[in-house]
mmCIF file of all heavy atoms in Angstrom:
data_model
loop_
_atom_site.group_PDB
_atom_site.id
_atom_site.type_symbol
_atom_site.label_atom_id
_atom_site.label_comp_id
_atom_site.label_asym_id
_atom_site.label_seq_id
_atom_site.Cartn_x
_atom_site.Cartn_y
_atom_site.Cartn_z
ATOM 1 N N LEU A 635 104.725 105.228 101.984
ATOM 2 C CA LEU A 635 105.817 105.549 102.932
ATOM 3 C C LEU A 635 106.682 104.371 103.086
ATOM 4 O O LEU A 635 106.162 103.279 103.389
ATOM 5 C CB LEU A 635 105.276 106.010 104.289
ATOM 6 C CG LEU A 635 104.341 107.243 104.231
ATOM 7 C CD1 LEU A 635 103.668 107.419 105.575
ATOM 8 C CD2 LEU A 635 105.019 108.458 103.804
ATOM 9 N N THR A 636 108.020 104.455 102.890
ATOM 10 C CA THR A 636 108.818 103.230 102.908
ATOM 11 C C THR A 636 108.850 102.532 104.265
ATOM 12 O O THR A 636 109.191 101.360 104.312
ATOM 13 C CB THR A 636 110.300 103.636 102.497
ATOM 14 O OG1 THR A 636 110.773 104.590 103.386
ATOM 15 C CG2 THR A 636 110.337 104.115 101.046
ATOM 16 N N ARG A 637 108.468 103.178 105.377
ATOM 17 C CA ARG A 637 108.349 102.556 106.609
ATOM 18 C C ARG A 637 107.076 101.686 106.754
ATOM 19 O O ARG A 637 106.866 101.040 107.759
ATOM 20 C CB ARG A 637 108.425 103.548 107.795
ATOM 21 C CG ARG A 637 107.299 104.467 107.867
ATOM 22 C CD ARG A 637 107.438 105.384 109.026
ATOM 23 N NE ARG A 637 106.541 106.531 108.924
ATOM 24 C CZ ARG A 637 105.300 106.480 109.273
ATOM 25 N NH1 ARG A 637 104.733 105.390 109.721
ATOM 26 N NH2 ARG A 637 104.529 107.553 109.120
ATOM 27 N N ASN A 638 106.286 101.603 105.662
ATOM 28 C CA ASN A 638 105.117 100.779 105.602
ATOM 29 C C ASN A 638 105.252 99.705 104.498
ATOM 30 O O ASN A 638 104.582 99.860 103.467
ATOM 31 C CB ASN A 638 103.833 101.611 105.383
ATOM 32 C CG ASN A 638 102.593 100.876 105.370
ATOM 33 O OD1 ASN A 638 102.511 99.721 105.803
ATOM 34 N ND2 ASN A 638 101.555 101.451 104.771
ATOM 35 N N PRO A 639 106.167 98.774 104.625
ATOM 36 C CA PRO A 639 106.442 97.863 103.513
ATOM 37 C C PRO A 639 105.265 96.993 103.162
ATOM 38 O O PRO A 639 105.218 96.451 102.012
ATOM 39 C CB PRO A 639 107.649 97.020 104.015
ATOM 40 C CG PRO A 639 107.597 97.131 105.524
ATOM 41 C CD PRO A 639 107.034 98.493 105.801
ATOM 42 N N ALA A 640 104.312 96.837 104.031
ATOM 43 C CA ALA A 640 103.078 95.986 103.688
ATOM 44 C C ALA A 640 102.344 96.598 102.472
ATOM 45 O O ALA A 640 101.827 95.914 101.686
ATOM 46 C CB ALA A 640 102.171 95.865 104.903
ATOM 47 N N SER A 641 102.361 97.955 102.431
ATOM 48 C CA SER A 641 101.690 98.625 101.285
ATOM 49 C C SER A 641 102.427 98.340 100.010
ATOM 50 O O SER A 641 101.886 98.090 98.916
ATOM 51 C CB SER A 641 101.642 100.128 101.546
ATOM 52 O OG SER A 641 100.702 100.665 100.646
ATOM 53 N N GLY A 642 103.793 98.248 100.035
ATOM 54 C CA GLY A 642 104.545 97.909 98.914
ATOM 55 C C GLY A 642 104.308 96.493 98.444
ATOM 56 O O GLY A 642 104.240 96.177 97.231
ATOM 57 N N ARG A 643 104.049 95.573 99.396
ATOM 58 C CA ARG A 643 103.753 94.186 99.058
ATOM 59 C C ARG A 643 102.399 94.139 98.301
ATOM 60 O O ARG A 643 102.211 93.333 97.373
ATOM 61 C CB ARG A 643 103.785 93.300 100.230
ATOM 62 C CG ARG A 643 105.195 93.046 100.734
ATOM 63 C CD ARG A 643 105.277 91.929 101.786
ATOM 64 N NE ARG A 643 104.595 92.233 103.001
ATOM 65 C CZ ARG A 643 105.121 92.961 103.942
ATOM 66 N NH1 ARG A 643 106.326 93.468 103.835
ATOM 67 N NH2 ARG A 643 104.395 93.162 105.058
ATOM 68 N N VAL A 644 101.391 94.909 98.738
ATOM 69 C CA VAL A 644 100.149 94.949 98.042
ATOM 70 C C VAL A 644 100.348 95.395 96.595
ATOM 71 O O VAL A 644 99.859 94.740 95.634
ATOM 72 C CB VAL A 644 99.192 95.965 98.747
ATOM 73 C CG1 VAL A 644 97.960 96.295 97.846
ATOM 74 C CG2 VAL A 644 98.760 95.470 100.124
ATOM 75 N N MET A 645 101.115 96.435 96.371
ATOM 76 C CA MET A 645 101.426 96.923 95.026
ATOM 77 C C MET A 645 102.088 95.847 94.136
ATOM 78 O O MET A 645 101.711 95.615 92.998
ATOM 79 C CB MET A 645 102.269 98.180 95.033
ATOM 80 C CG MET A 645 101.490 99.363 95.717
ATOM 81 S SD MET A 645 102.534 100.775 95.924
ATOM 82 C CE MET A 645 101.552 101.747 97.090
ATOM 83 N N GLU A 646 103.091 95.138 94.730
ATOM 84 C CA GLU A 646 103.830 94.103 94.015
ATOM 85 C C GLU A 646 102.841 92.971 93.650
ATOM 86 O O GLU A 646 102.870 92.483 92.525
ATOM 87 C CB GLU A 646 104.971 93.568 94.862
ATOM 88 C CG GLU A 646 106.108 94.512 94.923
ATOM 89 C CD GLU A 646 107.165 94.144 95.904
ATOM 90 O OE1 GLU A 646 107.095 93.080 96.586
ATOM 91 O OE2 GLU A 646 108.163 94.859 96.059
ATOM 92 N N LYS A 647 102.026 92.514 94.591
ATOM 93 C CA LYS A 647 101.042 91.450 94.343
ATOM 94 C C LYS A 647 100.028 91.847 93.270
ATOM 95 O O LYS A 647 99.470 90.941 92.646
ATOM 96 C CB LYS A 647 100.399 91.008 95.607
ATOM 97 C CG LYS A 647 101.292 90.212 96.551
ATOM 98 C CD LYS A 647 100.474 89.656 97.715
ATOM 99 C CE LYS A 647 100.960 90.186 98.960
ATOM 100 N NZ LYS A 647 100.180 89.849 100.122
ATOM 101 N N ALA A 648 99.801 93.137 93.092
ATOM 102 C CA ALA A 648 98.860 93.575 92.093
ATOM 103 C C ALA A 648 99.547 93.765 90.741
ATOM 104 O O ALA A 648 98.923 94.188 89.785
ATOM 105 C CB ALA A 648 98.244 94.920 92.517
ATOM 106 N N GLY A 649 100.825 93.442 90.601
ATOM 107 C CA GLY A 649 101.546 93.484 89.399
ATOM 108 C C GLY A 649 102.269 94.775 89.155
ATOM 109 O O GLY A 649 102.829 94.965 88.057
ATOM 110 N N MET A 650 102.292 95.661 90.105
ATOM 111 C CA MET A 650 103.009 96.953 89.951
ATOM 112 C C MET A 650 104.490 96.771 90.154
ATOM 113 O O MET A 650 104.979 95.853 90.843
ATOM 114 C CB MET A 650 102.453 97.996 90.909
ATOM 115 C CG MET A 650 100.932 98.180 90.781
ATOM 116 S SD MET A 650 100.267 99.372 91.940
ATOM 117 C CE MET A 650 100.523 100.875 91.030
ATOM 118 N N ARG A 651 105.264 97.605 89.527
ATOM 119 C CA ARG A 651 106.721 97.538 89.604
ATOM 120 C C ARG A 651 107.301 98.763 90.354
ATOM 121 O O ARG A 651 106.850 99.883 90.108
ATOM 122 C CB ARG A 651 107.345 97.538 88.258
ATOM 123 C CG ARG A 651 107.169 96.262 87.452
ATOM 124 C CD ARG A 651 108.085 96.297 86.267
ATOM 125 N NE ARG A 651 107.515 95.655 85.140
ATOM 126 C CZ ARG A 651 107.956 95.726 83.915
ATOM 127 N NH1 ARG A 651 109.006 96.458 83.649
ATOM 128 N NH2 ARG A 651 107.383 94.981 83.001
ATOM 129 N N LEU A 652 108.329 98.545 91.152
ATOM 130 C CA LEU A 652 109.036 99.658 91.773
ATOM 131 C C LEU A 652 109.752 100.491 90.726
ATOM 132 O O LEU A 652 110.491 99.937 89.947
ATOM 133 C CB LEU A 652 110.034 99.127 92.849
ATOM 134 C CG LEU A 652 110.871 100.156 93.522
ATOM 135 C CD1 LEU A 652 109.997 101.034 94.430
ATOM 136 C CD2 LEU A 652 111.975 99.506 94.378
ATOM 137 N N GLU A 653 109.508 101.762 90.781
ATOM 138 C CA GLU A 653 110.174 102.700 89.825
ATOM 139 C C GLU A 653 111.224 103.558 90.505
ATOM 140 O O GLU A 653 112.076 104.111 89.877
ATOM 141 C CB GLU A 653 109.194 103.576 89.112
ATOM 142 C CG GLU A 653 108.268 102.785 88.142
ATOM 143 C CD GLU A 653 107.424 103.664 87.322
ATOM 144 O OE1 GLU A 653 107.097 104.854 87.743
ATOM 145 O OE2 GLU A 653 107.173 103.307 86.199
ATOM 146 N N GLY A 654 111.183 103.599 91.792
ATOM 147 C CA GLY A 654 112.190 104.410 92.529
ATOM 148 C C GLY A 654 111.772 104.841 93.899
ATOM 149 O O GLY A 654 110.548 104.666 94.283
ATOM 150 N N VAL A 655 112.661 105.366 94.670
ATOM 151 C CA VAL A 655 112.352 105.937 95.944
ATOM 152 C C VAL A 655 112.704 107.372 95.926
ATOM 153 O O VAL A 655 113.818 107.789 95.506
ATOM 154 C CB VAL A 655 113.186 105.166 97.034
ATOM 155 C CG1 VAL A 655 112.968 105.811 98.448
ATOM 156 C CG2 VAL A 655 112.777 103.672 97.092
ATOM 157 N N HIS A 656 111.752 108.203 96.339
ATOM 158 C CA HIS A 656 111.972 109.653 96.485
ATOM 159 C C HIS A 656 112.365 109.938 97.927
ATOM 160 O O HIS A 656 111.504 109.841 98.755
ATOM 161 C CB HIS A 656 110.706 110.412 96.080
ATOM 162 C CG HIS A 656 110.257 110.133 94.690
ATOM 163 N ND1 HIS A 656 110.679 110.787 93.587
ATOM 164 C CD2 HIS A 656 109.393 109.206 94.224
ATOM 165 C CE1 HIS A 656 110.081 110.363 92.518
ATOM 166 N NE2 HIS A 656 109.328 109.408 92.842
ATOM 167 N N ARG A 657 113.627 110.256 98.133
ATOM 168 C CA ARG A 657 114.123 110.492 99.526
ATOM 169 C C ARG A 657 113.535 111.742 100.083
ATOM 170 O O ARG A 657 113.493 112.831 99.445
ATOM 171 C CB ARG A 657 115.638 110.563 99.496
ATOM 172 C CG ARG A 657 116.217 109.200 99.017
ATOM 173 C CD ARG A 657 117.728 109.250 98.902
ATOM 174 N NE ARG A 657 118.144 110.355 97.958
ATOM 175 C CZ ARG A 657 119.206 111.121 98.240
ATOM 176 N NH1 ARG A 657 119.910 110.999 99.299
ATOM 177 N NH2 ARG A 657 119.473 112.059 97.332
ATOM 178 N N GLN A 658 113.057 111.610 101.297
ATOM 179 C CA GLN A 658 112.534 112.776 102.098
ATOM 180 C C GLN A 658 111.546 113.589 101.234
ATOM 181 O O GLN A 658 111.600 114.829 101.217
ATOM 182 C CB GLN A 658 113.652 113.626 102.669
ATOM 183 C CG GLN A 658 114.453 112.854 103.666
ATOM 184 C CD GLN A 658 115.491 113.650 104.361
ATOM 185 O OE1 GLN A 658 115.578 114.867 104.172
ATOM 186 N NE2 GLN A 658 116.313 113.021 105.188
ATOM 187 N N HIS A 659 110.680 112.925 100.589
ATOM 188 C CA HIS A 659 109.717 113.537 99.600
ATOM 189 C C HIS A 659 108.561 114.240 100.227
ATOM 190 O O HIS A 659 108.046 115.215 99.677
ATOM 191 C CB HIS A 659 109.283 112.458 98.625
ATOM 192 C CG HIS A 659 108.608 113.000 97.438
ATOM 193 N ND1 HIS A 659 109.220 113.734 96.446
ATOM 194 C CD2 HIS A 659 107.297 112.912 97.048
ATOM 195 C CE1 HIS A 659 108.344 114.034 95.537
ATOM 196 N NE2 HIS A 659 107.189 113.559 95.865
ATOM 197 N N VAL A 660 108.087 113.778 101.424
ATOM 198 C CA VAL A 660 106.980 114.395 102.026
ATOM 199 C C VAL A 660 107.222 114.628 103.488
ATOM 200 O O VAL A 660 108.076 114.026 104.092
ATOM 201 C CB VAL A 660 105.691 113.503 101.900
ATOM 202 C CG1 VAL A 660 105.229 113.337 100.486
ATOM 203 C CG2 VAL A 660 105.900 112.219 102.551
ATOM 204 N N LEU A 661 106.601 115.668 104.036
ATOM 205 C CA LEU A 661 106.684 116.001 105.448
ATOM 206 C C LEU A 661 105.398 115.517 106.145
ATOM 207 O O LEU A 661 104.304 115.923 105.817
ATOM 208 C CB LEU A 661 106.784 117.488 105.618
ATOM 209 C CG LEU A 661 107.010 117.995 107.022
ATOM 210 C CD1 LEU A 661 108.341 117.457 107.606
ATOM 211 C CD2 LEU A 661 106.997 119.540 107.046
ATOM 212 N N LYS A 662 105.558 114.511 106.992
ATOM 213 C CA LYS A 662 104.431 113.850 107.691
ATOM 214 C C LYS A 662 104.651 113.981 109.157
ATOM 215 O O LYS A 662 105.663 113.438 109.660
ATOM 216 C CB LYS A 662 104.314 112.397 107.231
ATOM 217 C CG LYS A 662 103.268 111.551 107.917
ATOM 218 C CD LYS A 662 102.034 111.483 107.163
ATOM 219 C CE LYS A 662 101.007 110.587 107.846
ATOM 220 N NZ LYS A 662 99.726 110.912 107.614
ATOM 221 N N ASN A 663 103.758 114.703 109.871
ATOM 222 C CA ASN A 663 103.865 114.818 111.279
ATOM 223 C C ASN A 663 105.244 115.335 111.715
ATOM 224 O O ASN A 663 105.838 114.894 112.709
ATOM 225 C CB ASN A 663 103.535 113.532 112.025
ATOM 226 C CG ASN A 663 102.128 113.028 111.763
ATOM 227 O OD1 ASN A 663 101.204 113.897 111.584
ATOM 228 N ND2 ASN A 663 101.952 111.749 111.683
#
């Protein structure tokens, strides 16, 4: 979830690359 940037930093530090953002992709709460 883009409002959780710490998770994105984990992925980047693990060598993963951003491929894109899916806008309003999931309904959460």
Side-chain angles (χ1 to χ4, degrees):
L635 300 170
T636 57
R637 64 179 167 80
N638 181 18
S641 196
R643 286 191 297 278
V644 167
M645 294 173 197
E646 288 171 0
K647 287 189 240 175
M650 302 178 88
R651 291 193 211 168
L652 177 65
E653 292 190 330
V655 174
H656 301 272
R657 297 175 304 138
Q658 297 186 3
H659 192 69
V660 295
L661 184 62
K662 174 101 178 149
N663 298 326

